């Protein structure tokens, strides 16, 4: 069976990462670490799925999801931002449910929209996306404060009428030649 060709698409990419998970793990038994991680992965799947995103991958306790790769919608950027906000709240609730110390389980999220190349996977409804929009989403996530969401300029322009945004200024992101404007 021949794979479909790669194609350019405009998508919104969401990167999320647990803050301080390595430190938290040091103080837990291996089984407890697995319980926390499994509960986190379930929380991520639910939040991303509820807003129509597709999980691309888990990398340790980091996650990458894409909105608009298999089916583009006019509100993909808004869906991604709403998923990011839902995820930050759900992780806070997860910490309470797991009876963890207050503030010990938080997530930070970066969301960015832009052009990517999507390469369909051999399995149904899966794809790999690559491009600068992906890199910027990952760097925004790394720059976000614990429990917060940072969005890139295109995403901010797209969701400005639907989501309250606060300017975060122009950020010097790793690997970027120019500062990147971002919003909380």
């Amino acid at each position: 069976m021949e794979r479909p060709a790669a194609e350019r698409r405009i998508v919104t990419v969401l990167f999320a990462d647990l803050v301080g998970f390595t430190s938290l793990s040091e103080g837990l038994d291996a089984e407890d670490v697995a319980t926390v991680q499994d509960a986190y992965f379930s929380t991520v799947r639910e939040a991303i799925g509820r807003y129509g995103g597709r999980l691309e991958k888990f990398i340790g306790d980091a996650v990458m999801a894409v909105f608009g790769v298999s089916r583009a919608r006019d509100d993909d950027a808004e869906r991604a931002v709403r998923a990011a906000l839902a995820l930050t709240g759900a992780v806070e609730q997860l910490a309470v449910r797991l009876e963890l110390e207050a503030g010990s389980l938080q997530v930070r999220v970066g969301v960015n929209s832009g052009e990517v190349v999507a390469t369909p996977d051999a399995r149904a409804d899966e794809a790999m996306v690559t491009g600068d929009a992906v890199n910027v989403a990952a760097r925004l996530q790394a720059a976000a404060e614990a429990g917060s969401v940072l969005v890139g300029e295109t995403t901010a322009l797209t969701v400005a009428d639907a989501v309250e945004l606060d300017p975060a200024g122009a950020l010097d992101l790793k690997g970027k030649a120019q500062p990147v404007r971002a919003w909380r």
Side-chain angles (χ1 to χ4, degrees):
M1 180 165 92
E2 190 172 312
R3 286 177 59 166
E7 63 181 15
R8 288 179 180 259
R9 299 195 59 113
I10 303 295
V11 301
T12 300
V13 180
L14 179 153
F15 262 90
D17 191 25
L18 286 177
V19 178
F21 186 66
T22 302
S23 298
L24 174 66
S25 298
E26 285 180 328
L28 299 175
D29 290 334
E31 292 84 2
D32 293 334
V33 172
T35 298
V36 171
Q37 206 162 20
D38 287 348
Y40 168 64
F41 292 156
S42 292
T43 299
V44 168
R45 283 186 185 96
E46 193 280 324
I48 300 302
R50 181 175 358 138
Y51 290 95
R54 183 171 48 188
L55 235 59
E56 187 179 274
K57 63 181 111 186
F58 284 107
I59 309 160
D61 56 54
V63 62
M64 177 183 164
V66 183
F67 294 75
V69 77
S70 56
R71 176 179 166 217
R73 297 180 179 111
D74 290 341
D75 64 346
D76 281 328
E78 182 181 340
R79 288 170 176 270
V81 171
R82 292 201 183 282
L85 293 169
L87 183 57
T88 59
V91 168
E92 286 178 16
Q93 292 173 2
L94 177 62
V96 171
R97 220 173 49 241
L98 294 174
E99 300 177 356
L100 297 172
E101 185 178 318
S104 65
L105 192 65
Q106 294 182 311
V107 67
R108 61 178 174 229
V109 186
V111 180
N112 191 55
S113 303
E115 188 175 70
V116 299
V117 172
T119 307
D121 191 283
R123 293 167 289 186
D125 199 36
E126 292 188 18
M128 182 184 86
V129 296
T130 188
D132 191 52
V134 176
N135 298 332
V136 171
R139 299 302 188 234
L140 287 169
Q141 174 275 133
E145 294 177 12
S148 73
V149 178
L150 276 181
V151 301
E153 186 167 14
T154 301
T155 305
L157 291 170
T158 304
V159 305
D161 291 337
V163 177
E164 186 178 324
L165 299 169
D166 291 320
L171 305 177
D172 290 319
L173 301 179
K174 181 180 174 184
K176 298 298 294 174
Q178 300 295 320
V180 173
R181 293 178 62 200
W183 285 258
R184 284 181 214 82

